[in-house]
Amino acid sequence: MLQSVSDFLVITKRQLLQMIRIPEVLIFATIQPAMFVLLFRYVFGGAIDSGVEGGYVQLLMPGIFVQTVAFTLAATAVGLAADMQKGLIDRFRSLPISRSAVVIGRTVGDTLQNVVTLIVMGLVGFLVGWRPSSGPIKIFLGFLFLLAFGYSMSWIGVIIGLSVREERVAQNLVFMTVFPLTFLSNAFAPTTGMPKILQYFAEWNPVSTMVAACRELFGTENVFGATANSWPSQNPILMSLIYMFLLVAIFAPISVRKYVRVSK
Amino acid sequence: MKSIVAQELVKSYGKGGVKALDGLSLDVEEGTVLGLLGPNGSGKTTTVRVLATLLTPDSGSATVAGIDVLKHPDEVRKVIGLSGQYAALDETLTGWDNLTMFGRLYHLNSSGAKKRAEELLEQFSLTDAARRPIRTYSGGMRRRLDLAASLIVKPKVLFLDEPTTGLDPRGRMEMWGVIDELVKGGVTLLLTTQYLEEADQLADSIAVIDSGKVIARGSADELKNQVGGERLEITVEANQIADATRLVEQVTGVKPSVDHGIRKISAPVSNGSASLIQVLRLLDEAKIHPLDIGLKRPSLDDVFISLTGHVAEVVVGLEVGGKNAAKRK
Ligand SMILES: Nc1ncnc2c1ncn2[C@@H]1O[C@H](COP(=O)(O)OP(=O)(O)OP(=O)(O)O)[C@@H](O)[C@H]1O
Ligand SMILES: [Mg+2]
């Protein structure tokens, strides 16, 4: 048991080392969401009448946070596909290490990367007027929630990365799925404008429940959601926890199995 | 004792796809080197991947260091080292990072992993490049670091898949030196190669594979004898061919074969050097001065062709064997 913990920590450490050896990767991974914050804040911020205290940016920040951590899936998928392509996964598989070490190490590593990204984004948000008003404990919980969501999304990335085996394919596949998911949600605009059927979809969408949960934890009224009055939109924190639990419970065992059997 | 045993391995890729292994059996005595020699696509890599627990065969069985590969892959992984056909390293990290990481994954403690990394970098003449990212390494350096990574805990059984493919002649000589050292240290080695010369040089015993099966087995000498013994070959001026042929026949007692195009006379001999001296003396008395004369043992090339009916594919211009093969084609 102790051995398998130290095994996955070695893999995680490898990722942190990569960040040090090529800092550009992390810098760009951070600049991109920071740019999103600025664009949305100043491009849509003027057009969308939010009606909440402190303005659109209060609603926007939870949306952008969730979008960013949802893309952990991409980081994981692309990273693993690259390792497959280079034959590194094969080498790991020929070592006497626990069968889950490589995939756990990867998901944890990608989550740690999120810590840095979230801190930078939070600071940028603060600079442009984001003021979470719920007190330090809830704010902390909000960030913890985000990290947990990113972590559970990361497991889907494991399966994609090990299945496609090719960095570029992974990249495209991921963008094609995650982008619609983040836009068919309450993250950036109210769901009222959507056809009723899409409103239901948007409210059951885990991205929406996460965004709603974060708005609650950061102390902003979620005026963008709950137009269809679905259960998840009324219990976003509970529903998000259920989603996260399901994601890990389903995809983690599949991922480990896949890793054990994967053969290039 | 046998260190590696494979019995009747069968492996197809995909559903009803290529049969990469088609009843392959082999064994390697402890402390010896087996050269697995075969052309592209003959199943070398597949064999190595099955033995190194990376791939499950459709049928058949295998043991490595006495451990069943299919039943106890985890135990097998503790005693093997693998350096695959393509260097498998983290390109963004330095050589040092890679070796310490693998050291930790072999469960050395932190200082143990560092110490071992230092030793290996020294042993493979990579100390100067230790702090550079792998992506700045040359092909030969990568290959050496990859090999180093498979030696972190001294393995009982080592698998090297085409360790010198893509290296220049100097890189190959260096790699051969390194492999020689390892073998002296007592490791059991299974080495795959497309280079006949390499198998001849490094392996105690050779298994020739083609289409997923072992088609011949033995020491380099045994394989060469299988094709035929020594031959005496003489090249002379065109107008002297007839006389020279008569002399050769007189000595060897066999009717020589003559290639008028390249003016070469050749005949099988049983007591090579004695016949050579005798022929030289007779030629000298007859005032015939051969342009070239010598005893030729069949090369592994000859063996390969006579066994598989086709020429081994060889990377352009890397070796004498390759040129011979091309010429014969
Ligand atoms: N992942 C795969 N999917 C489908 N077919 C494969 C796969 N890997 C290998 N093959 C096929 O199996 C056969 C044996 O391949 P293998 O890689 O073992 O040959 P090899 O002797 O190592 O060749 P080379 O000298 O080119 O490395 C080939 O016909 C190859 O096309
Ligand atoms: Mg191969």
Side-chain angles (χ1 to χ4, degrees):
Chain A
M1 186 58 212
L2 227 97
Q3 195 68 78
S4 51
V5 171
S6 89
D7 285 346
F8 94 69
L9 286 179
V10 176
I11 303 286
T12 302
K13 184 177 161 216
R14 160 189 173 223
Q15 262 177 282
L16 300 183
L17 261 180
Q18 284 180 333
M19 275 191 243
I20 297 170
R21 299 284 181 242
I22 9 178
E24 297 94 306
V25 174
L26 185 63
I27 292 174
F28 282 113
T30 313
I31 286 181
Q32 201 183 355
M35 233 164 61
F36 261 121
V37 171
L38 295 176
L39 282 175
F40 274 81
R41 165 75 177 81
Y42 292 107
V43 176
F44 298 123
I48 297 175
D49 179 18
S50 62
V52 297
E53 199 178 325
Y56 178 62
V57 71
Q58 311 307 324
L59 290 160
L60 167 70
M61 287 312 294
I64 288 204
F65 282 142
V66 173
Q67 182 182 52
T68 304
V69 295
F71 270 100
T72 316
L73 187 160
T76 305
V78 171
L80 269 180
D83 285 353
M84 286 279 295
Q85 231 174 332
K86 299 216 177 78
L88 254 182
I89 295 293
D90 265 357
R91 164 149 261 154
F92 288 138
R93 286 174 71 234
S94 78
L95 299 179
I97 56 176
S98 85
R99 312 271 72 198
S100 54
V102 171
V103 282
I104 294 184
R106 164 66 61 177
T107 50
V108 171
D110 287 334
T111 300
L112 289 181
Q113 203 153 326
N114 278 342
V115 173
V116 184
T117 313
L118 287 176
I119 289 175
V120 173
M121 286 178 70
L123 289 175
V124 174
F126 189 81
L127 286 178
V128 298
W130 179 55
R131 297 287 182 274
S133 58
S134 52
I137 291 174
K138 281 201 167 174
I139 295 175
F140 179 75
L141 277 179
F143 279 112
L144 215 56
F145 230 65
L146 285 164
L147 289 175
F149 182 62
Y151 183 75
S152 41
M153 290 295 278
S154 181
W155 283 103
I156 306 179
V158 173
I159 293 179
I160 296 177
L162 292 180
S163 306
V164 302
R165 300 156 178 199
E166 160 88 65
E167 215 175 321
R168 266 201 210 157
V169 182
Q171 189 123 23
N172 292 335
L173 195 71
V174 163
F175 276 79
M176 263 163 43
T177 47
V178 181
F179 259 123
L181 219 54
T182 57
F183 283 104
L184 276 176
S185 77
N186 59 15
F188 304 112
T191 50
T192 19
M194 304 178 185
K196 201 74 180 176
I197 180 101
L198 278 188
Q199 286 186 31
Y200 272 107
F201 179 85
E203 283 179 22
W204 280 90
N205 182 348
V207 171
S208 295
T209 68
M210 271 305 299
V211 173
C214 287
R215 286 183 181 143
E216 193 172 323
L217 289 169
F218 291 136
T220 303
E221 192 195 341
N222 183 22
V223 297
F224 281 177
T227 49
N229 268 321
S230 57
W231 187 82
S233 67
Q234 283 154 356
N235 304 277
I237 294 187
L238 183 57
M239 193 65 217
S240 299
L241 283 172
I242 293 173
Y243 275 139
M244 290 188 235
F245 174 79
L246 285 179
L247 282 176
V248 177
I250 295 170
F251 289 110
I254 301 180
S255 300
V256 174
R257 258 174 75 99
K258 179 110 200 140
Y259 170 83
V260 172
R261 308 208 164 172
V262 78
S263 50
K264 212 174 154 187
Chain B
M1 211 195 90
K2 301 287 182 206
S3 228
I4 306 176
V5 180
Q7 273 165 337
E8 292 295 317
L9 293 177
V10 175
K11 174 73 196 177
S12 310
Y13 287 103
K15 290 180 194 71
V18 209
K19 243 188 188 170
L21 297 182
D22 189 9
L24 181 136
S25 302
L26 55 79
D27 53 78
V28 188
E29 193 69 33
E30 190 174 346
T32 68
V33 182
L34 175 73
L36 199 58
L37 176 66
N40 286 130
S42 54
K44 301 183 296 293
T45 299
T46 307
T47 307
V48 167
R49 290 172 55 81
V50 167
L51 294 173
T53 78
L54 296 178
L55 198 65
T56 314
D58 302 336
S59 66
S61 62
T63 61
V64 168
I67 310 163
D68 191 310
V69 173
L70 296 171
K71 292 202 188 96
H72 306 289
D74 290 329
E75 297 304 309
V76 171
R77 286 182 200 114
K78 287 183 189 158
V79 298
I80 60 168
L82 165 67
S83 175
Q85 188 165 355
Y86 306 98
L89 302 162
D90 188 327
E91 300 264 308
T92 55
L93 300 187
T94 65
W96 168 265
D97 292 338
N98 270 283
L99 288 182
T100 49
M101 169 178 74
F102 288 121
R104 298 289 281 150
L105 290 175
Y106 274 111
H107 304 144
L108 301 180
N109 62 22
S110 174
S111 61
K114 284 178 188 157
K115 189 162 157 279
R116 189 70 185 126
E118 232 151 69
E119 285 168 10
L120 286 166
L121 287 163
E122 182 71 41
Q123 183 185 346
F124 287 83
S125 331
L126 288 167
T127 308
D128 291 339
R131 309 283 162 174
R132 269 167 39 199
I134 301 293
R135 71 190 128 85
T136 67
Y137 281 26
S138 73
M141 292 163 81
R142 271 169 220 239
R143 212 58 239 212
R144 293 209 299 276
L145 194 77
D146 195 81
L147 180 54
S150 64
L151 299 175
I152 286 174
V153 289
K154 207 176 157 215
K156 280 192 193 155
V157 176
L158 183 62
F159 298 99
L160 301 180
D161 195 0
E162 302 197 18
T164 64
T165 299
L167 300 189
D168 63 15
R170 183 159 154 260
R172 295 173 104 207
M173 297 309 279
E174 281 175 10
M175 189 53 97
W176 286 0
V178 168
I179 292 171
D180 252 346
E181 288 297 308
L182 290 175
V183 172
K184 286 201 191 100
V187 71
T188 303
L189 172 62
L190 189 152
L191 159 116
T192 81
T193 180
Q194 304 180 32
Y195 302 124
L196 313 158
E197 183 195 356
E198 184 162 286
D200 199 357
Q201 176 87 20
L202 294 175
D204 300 306
S205 147
I206 296 172
V208 183
I209 72 169
D210 195 36
S211 309
K213 274 200 283 285
V214 174
I215 53 170
R217 179 68 205 264
S219 67
D221 284 340
E222 283 162 1
L223 289 175
K224 287 172 182 172
N225 285 336
Q226 202 168 323
V227 178
E230 283 176 312
R231 299 179 73 82
L232 176 67
E233 291 188 350
I234 311 175
T235 308
V236 291
E237 300 289 355
N239 57 7
Q240 298 173 327
I241 290 180
D243 289 341
T245 306
R246 200 169 30 77
L247 290 179
V248 173
E249 183 171 355
Q250 188 182 326
V251 172
T252 61
V254 190
K255 195 165 178 53
S257 61
V258 181
D259 184 331
H260 287 275
I262 53 172
R263 309 186 307 273
K264 188 188 266 178
I265 302 157
S266 89
V269 288
S270 42
N271 52 345
S273 35
S275 309
L276 180 66
I277 293 168
Q278 216 178 338
V279 169
L280 269 174
R281 214 188 49 231
L282 290 174
L283 287 171
D284 192 46
E285 281 168 10
K287 299 264 183 301
I288 299 171
H289 300 290
L291 303 171
D292 187 26
I293 183 164
L295 285 171
K296 187 170 177 290
R297 302 203 53 210
S299 71
L300 275 168
D301 258 346
D302 301 310
V303 176
F304 202 85
I305 293 162
S306 75
L307 289 172
T308 65
H310 55 87
V311 179
E313 292 174 59
V314 190
V315 178
V316 185
L318 271 180
E319 63 185 352
V320 181
K323 285 191 210 126
N324 286 346
K327 205 189 309 175
R328 220 167 275 115
K329 202 166 179 177

